[in-house]
Amino acid sequence: MPVLDISLKNFHLDMIDIRQQANVRTALVFGASFLGIYWAYRQFSRRHIKLPPGPYAFPIVGNMPQLAGVVDPWKVFLRHRAKYGDVVMYSVGSLKMVVVCGYKTIREVLIDKGHCVSNRPNWLYIIDKLFNRSGVFWSNGETWKNMRRFTLVTLRDFGVGKKSLEERIQEECMIMVEQIDKKKGQAFDPKQFLAKAVSNIICTIVFGTRFDHNDPEFNLLLDHLDFLFKNAGVAVPENFFPFMAKLRSNKPAQKMIDNDTEIQKFVLRKIEEHRRSFDPTLTRDFIDMYLKVCQDETETFKVSEKDVFRVTVDLFLAGSETTATSLRWVMLYWIRYPEIQERCYQNIMEVAGDGRLVNLTDKVDLVYLMGFLNEVLRVVCIAPTSPPRAVNEEFKVNGYTLEKDTMVLCHIKSAHFDPDYWDNPEEFNPDRWIGPDGKLVKHRAFMPFGAGVRACMGESLSYMELFLFAANLLPRYQFKVPDGRKTPSLEGKQTGVTMQPEQYDVIAVPR
Ligand code: HEM
């Protein structure tokens, strides 16, 4: 009975098929129910979390219309703080951003809960394209830990706090003196001099060499870095809506990437030059340190070329503009308050009146000058809102939950003007830094370099530069507003990350 045989076999196969289909269906129903229950559980359990309040967020674009392209975002954040409190939430698409104000709350976030906000939001489109999750500024996790360690050791080994770097900064200051002398009392904008002098200090640490101020390669590098610094901010729409990178006719994202490629070529040329002259017994600079680590077979920690390039750019981006801009503010406050400039000068004369160069050991005696520098950093607050962090572990602050991956900005300027921690915070007063014993006092709400695990890595270097430049320029010149010109305002503008003073000229009258 072959026919029946076949049909029986078919029947058997059909049964298997039906049973398999039933199994698949059961699995699907079971899976869907599980997901449904899980979703309901998540919704229910998250109903109890209290997110921070904030201004109305539009569908899809969220708060982008209120924030994109805003000049002085720190002022907008302060207006919202007055309405919503110390923790204010914004959103763009599905991303959440929180701005934290006031010293007490900032401290709680950056120090007490610092381990929960140790990431940077490196998923932002342009930032991710540029920084490639490498280097130290925008990396996270193991890469960040390794690169932070490598960078700190290298900065220490190549002179931060050491005599050799001190001499290099003094030398750079004297080159600036030669150039100021050439002005012969004519008005000039100190911006370029200061930018080149400070960048040359980073060049010394990274490449082991300085550049002539007229070197075209150096000037091109500075132009590229300046472009990147001014444009690679967080509040660029492409960071949140990558499709806009193709839509916007002026293609700002592509320009930044092209610009970054040019800097990359420069650094790679320097790495090649170093490779040709490399001597493992003589580590000359940051790049040599990288080559050494690469060649050392016993070294467990490996640095990639991508990382070394990125850290180099990180050091330029984080270290040149910030310090050079601080020095421009220092000069502006001198010309705005001639009597304070005179007190700084007298303070230096008491210690180094014989015309010698001021060095780092003089710092303890130059208390008024140090108080003045701190006061400039306080009132100006070069980075009024700190570079963003990202929540890596959900936590609560002031009763509000900050969910994982929320972007966090700390409003440093609000801490610097917090009336609970400063007497007359609006007043520019270097004397607030001098204690009854005549020594420099510390103020805990002073945090121009951020705080916690990701605090600035260049604080000591910056102070070295600010102090040595200020203390060695002032004995040589009295800085003044050019005759007949209006005294520049102290208002300033936040462009990108930093507070920029308005363009101004000075005259330097030899003492
Ligand atoms: C007046 C000058 C400077 C100011 C006001 C400043 C300010 C800051 C601030 C506010 C942060 C963020 C900290 C945080 O997230 O909590 C930062 C980070 C950083 N700064 Fe500075 N900085 C200055 C100079 C420098 C210099 C000279 C260097 C390098 C030589 C440097 C290297 C860095 C690096 C690498 C980071 C990232 C650290 C990390 O993410 O682990 N900075 N800086």
Side-chain angles (χ1 to χ4, degrees):
M1 305 277 278
V3 174
L4 183 68
D5 239 19
I6 287 168
S7 63
L8 263 182
K9 203 188 270 167
N10 278 349
F11 175 73
H12 184 66
L13 285 174
D14 281 352
M15 284 308 286
I16 290 176
D17 204 30
I18 286 168
R19 238 179 277 138
Q20 274 174 350
Q21 280 178 18
N23 283 348
V24 170
R25 219 173 295 135
T26 313
L28 280 175
V29 170
F30 190 75
S33 318
F34 176 77
L35 283 177
I37 292 166
Y38 178 68
W39 179 82
Y41 163 76
R42 291 269 304 170
Q43 291 303 104
F44 179 75
S45 60
R46 307 220 51 90
R47 256 193 5 217
H48 301 295
I49 70 165
K50 195 164 137 201
L51 295 175
Y56 175 74
F58 295 94
I60 304 171
V61 291
N63 297 103
M64 205 67 189
Q66 291 116 303
L67 298 179
V70 166
V71 181
D72 286 335
W74 66 275
K75 288 186 183 165
V76 177
F77 295 141
L78 282 188
R79 280 202 293 276
H80 290 152
R81 176 202 190 185
K83 193 162 175 196
Y84 301 102
D86 280 351
V87 188
V88 183
M89 191 165 94
Y90 303 84
S91 70
V92 182
S94 60
L95 292 180
K96 296 187 179 73
M97 179 176 97
V98 161
V99 177
V100 181
C101 297
Y103 171 69
K104 193 169 152 288
T105 318
I106 294 179
R107 196 204 134 84
E108 193 179 335
V109 170
L110 289 185
I111 312 269
D112 304 341
K113 309 271 170 58
H115 59 285
C116 302
V117 284
S118 63
N119 274 359
R120 299 249 183 240
N122 60 6
W123 60 81
L124 297 167
Y125 177 74
I126 298 183
I127 295 196
D128 189 30
K129 279 245 169 289
L130 292 176
F131 291 86
N132 237 313
R133 301 181 185 210
S134 51
V136 66
F137 208 103
W138 280 101
S139 61
N140 288 331
E142 278 307 298
T143 306
W144 166 67
K145 274 190 199 146
N146 282 334
M147 291 317 297
R148 192 168 164 106
R149 186 163 56 96
F150 176 75
T151 311
L152 279 174
V153 170
T154 317
L155 282 176
R156 192 196 59 210
D157 287 358
F158 292 106
V160 176
K162 286 192 183 158
K163 195 85 199 143
S164 54
L165 192 62
E166 174 184 30
E167 283 167 5
R168 198 54 276 291
I169 298 172
Q170 288 168 330
E171 187 193 337
E172 204 59 54
C173 188
M174 288 306 112
I175 292 170
M176 208 161 112
V177 166
E178 276 169 29
Q179 287 167 336
I180 295 177
D181 281 348
K182 283 189 195 146
K183 294 286 169 192
K184 298 198 184 320
Q186 300 263 308
F188 65 95
D189 182 344
K191 183 177 175 181
Q192 286 305 318
F193 288 163
L194 293 170
K196 290 178 182 181
V198 169
S199 298
N200 256 334
I201 304 301
I202 303 273
C203 287
T204 308
I205 297 172
V206 178
F207 307 128
T209 173
R210 72 174 294 278
F211 292 88
D212 186 273
H213 285 204
N214 297 320
D215 184 324
E217 200 186 20
F218 179 52
N219 283 314
L220 202 62
L221 173 75
L222 296 190
D223 285 348
H224 287 315
L225 287 163
D226 193 50
F227 179 86
L228 212 56
F229 197 87
K230 291 209 176 106
N231 293 284
V234 171
V236 180
E238 283 82 349
N239 272 330
F240 305 92
F241 304 109
F243 63 89
M244 288 188 72
K246 293 216 165 45
L247 291 185
R248 286 223 277 173
S249 55
N250 56 348
K251 306 255 183 296
Q254 192 53 46
K255 275 191 196 149
M256 277 180 240
I257 292 162
D258 293 346
N259 198 73
D260 192 62
T261 311
E262 289 305 313
I263 303 172
Q264 196 162 351
K265 283 187 199 156
F266 178 90
V267 177
L268 292 180
R269 269 202 306 277
K270 292 287 154 207
I271 296 180
E272 271 321 303
E273 281 171 26
H274 275 66
R275 205 169 259 138
R276 284 197 293 273
S277 57
F278 181 64
D279 172 358
T281 60
L282 178 76
T283 323
R284 298 162 294 183
D285 50 37
F286 189 86
I287 303 233
D288 268 359
M289 188 78 147
Y290 152 68
L291 294 173
K292 198 171 168 196
V293 168
C294 285
Q295 289 190 359
D296 187 351
E297 310 235 308
T298 59
E299 181 58 71
T300 48
F301 158 61
K302 294 287 172 218
V303 192
S304 69
E305 201 162 86
K306 187 173 84 173
D307 280 319
V308 92
F309 155 67
R310 212 60 264 175
V311 172
T312 304
V313 179
D314 286 347
L315 292 182
F316 274 109
L317 287 182
S320 316
E321 215 273 348
T322 43
T323 311
T325 303
S326 303
L327 281 165
R328 276 167 73 208
W329 280 108
V330 162
M331 239 178 224
L332 181 53
Y333 271 82
W334 276 340
I335 60 174
R336 187 64 203 253
Y337 293 109
E339 66 292 355
I340 291 181
Q341 182 181 167
E342 188 56 23
R343 275 187 74 186
C344 291
Y345 171 70
Q346 289 304 337
N347 190 207
I348 301 167
M349 285 302 101
E350 285 157 20
V351 175
D354 55 0
R356 69 169 169 86
L357 285 174
V358 174
N359 51 50
L360 288 176
T361 52
D362 295 320
K363 220 163 141 184
V364 280
D365 298 316
L366 293 179
V367 181
Y368 186 79
L369 180 69
M370 283 306 295
F372 165 77
L373 294 175
N374 279 350
E375 187 68 349
V376 171
L377 290 179
R378 179 186 76 86
V379 295
V380 171
C381 198
I382 303 297
T385 47
S386 64
R389 302 278 192 95
V391 176
N392 45 301
E393 189 185 317
E394 184 172 298
F395 71 102
K396 274 193 180 167
V397 57
N398 291 4
Y400 301 114
T401 299
L402 267 54
E403 294 178 295
K404 189 167 184 307
D405 290 341
T406 301
M407 208 159 95
V408 179
L409 297 188
C410 287
H411 202 298
I412 300 181
K413 190 142 180 159
S414 69
H416 285 187
F417 284 80
D418 193 328
D420 291 341
Y421 296 88
W422 304 93
D423 292 334
N424 300 324
E426 301 296 329
E427 187 194 354
F428 181 77
N429 175 17
D431 285 309
R432 70 171 82 241
W433 294 91
I434 305 174
D437 57 357
K439 293 202 174 124
L440 199 68
V441 290
K442 285 200 167 103
H443 287 279
R444 56 191 167 145
F446 179 60
M447 43 169 61
F449 299 93
V453 287
R454 291 202 82 137
C456 178
M457 297 171 70
E459 180 172 345
S460 308
L461 175 61
S462 235
Y463 267 115
M464 263 178 102
E465 293 176 307
L466 292 176
F467 174 76
L468 290 171
F469 276 112
N472 284 304
L473 283 177
L474 207 50
R476 282 156 185 88
Y477 307 104
Q478 183 186 18
F479 294 100
K480 284 182 165 177
V481 179
D483 288 341
R485 302 254 192 111
K486 186 168 110 299
T487 308
S489 132
L490 297 175
E491 195 46 31
K493 255 195 198 110
Q494 182 184 5
T495 41
V497 185
T498 50
M499 282 303 293
Q500 298 290 325
E502 69 172 59
Q503 187 282 330
Y504 68 88
D505 285 349
V506 284
I507 52 169
V509 183
R511 299 231 191 225

